[in-house]
Amino acid sequence: MRRRFAVLVCAKLLLISHQALAWNANGHQIVGAIADEMLTGNAKQQVATILNVNLRTAGPWLDCVKSVHRFADGTFHYVVEPAFEEPCKPFASAHPVMQQYVKRNFFQCSYLSKRKDDDGKEYQEEMGCHNTHHFDDVAIQRDHFDRNFQGTNDHDIVAAITAAMAVLLERPSPPPFKIADKREALFVLAHLVGDLHQPLHVGAVYLDKDGKLVDPDVTHTIDPATETVGGNAIRDTGKNFHGDWDAPPTGFKVEDALDLLPLAKAVPLDNAALEEWSTAWATDTLKVAPQAFAGANFVKNPDDWAIMFADHAAYVQKGDEIKRQQMAKAGARLAHILNRIWP
Ligand SMILES: [Zn+2]
């Protein structure tokens, strides 16, 4: 779930940035490992045949493609960035596929990121539309997901999940997504069902200069000065608040993933049509998102906001419990989708 965390690759490249470690690769592997365990016979077989790796390994793929950069001459190349490479090593022989994926999904929208050049001068970098597939920024004042709300769009995570499902059902890739085949669709799905359950990948706070909540759906427009970029513009004890929420619960390792299996098995199966699931789950996450900000106070810094809690230890403990629940839901629901597609 790394997102919007700029790591300069080379000032000479037309770059793209890398975003934070987000569920970081570990989180995506945990979600995938739970789903692997919950797949039924046919789905398990299909996943193995199409992917050639399990869902645990596949989970980080969509973040790995962020290592594909658009160069000044317009070509796309995978640039190894050591800090992010470990979970991407299983795909080392497939860089051309990743380059094609990024190129196909780059120009449908613009996704700019603030960067600094070698002289410290700020500039805007085009990161490519595929970077927007990972999230929405719906105000936490909303109690359900609706495409009419600010912070949503037709190339967001909700739409991307539905698009990947379509390809797995052998339907055309719905625009603006250009998903070439079932293999790409599985990589996309294995990642984004995880992201959809990270509260800060769906819910967002908009803040004024006094640190008070702003509601962009009252004015029906977003004032850029109020955007917290999914919590990336918020610091908790100096650390990126979005990154804190991307991390697994305190001390929880990928190897512990199946500790969450009882929770995952308790997640009810949705009886609605498959096409409605990503919207319903975004609503579910929006109901959780306010808890990530419960009791918070915000103070404006020159470039971002600081978030403060009366009892930080209690907040972290509560957050860990929410993460366990959300990762279990994500793993279960990823399996639910694939078991429905391949009964
Ligand atoms: Zn992501």
Side-chain angles (χ1 to χ4, degrees), residues 29 32-33 35-37 39 43-62 64 87-94 98 182-184 186-188 190-191 334 338 342:
Q29 288 168 344
D36 281 324
E37 199 62 24
L39 290 179
K44 204 174 187 77
Q45 177 78 46
Q46 293 283 346
V47 168
T49 304
I50 294 167
L51 273 186
N52 220 7
V53 292
N54 57 22
L55 295 169
R56 168 179 164 168
T57 304
W61 186 89
L62 204 63
C64 294
C88 305
K89 283 180 178 169
F91 318 120
S93 63
M98 296 165 117
K182 289 185 185 180
R183 184 172 159 82
E184 280 188 4
L186 262 181
F187 278 132
V188 169
H191 183 90
L334 175 55
L338 301 174
W342 293 301

Side-chain angles (χ1 to χ4, degrees), residues 220-252:
H220 301 291
T221 185
I222 291 173
D223 173 357
T226 67
E227 278 193 280
T228 65
V229 206
N232 278 282
I234 297 174
R235 309 220 145 252
D236 179 7
T237 57
K239 285 167 35 203
N240 181 308
F241 189 59
H242 180 96
D244 285 349
W245 272 94
D246 271 344
T250 310
F252 196 94

Side-chain angles (χ1 to χ4, degrees), residues 29-31 33-34 252-261:
Q29 288 168 344
I30 291 165
V31 168
I34 295 167
F252 196 94
K253 306 259 187 309
V254 176
E255 294 67 33
D256 303 331
L258 298 189
D259 291 357
L260 300 179
L261 202 53

Side-chain angles (χ1 to χ4, degrees), residues 1-3 22-23 28 62-63 66 134 191-192 195 201:
M1 303 190 178
R2 66 194 202 203
R3 87 184 251 213
W23 323 132
H28 285 289
L62 204 63
D63 277 342
K66 294 176 181 174
H134 298 247
H191 183 90
L192 293 185
D195 278 354
H201 270 250

Side-chain angles (χ1 to χ4, degrees), residues 257-271:
L258 298 189
D259 291 357
L260 300 179
L261 202 53
L263 275 179
K265 286 185 170 170
V267 176
L269 186 61
D270 195 326
N271 288 318

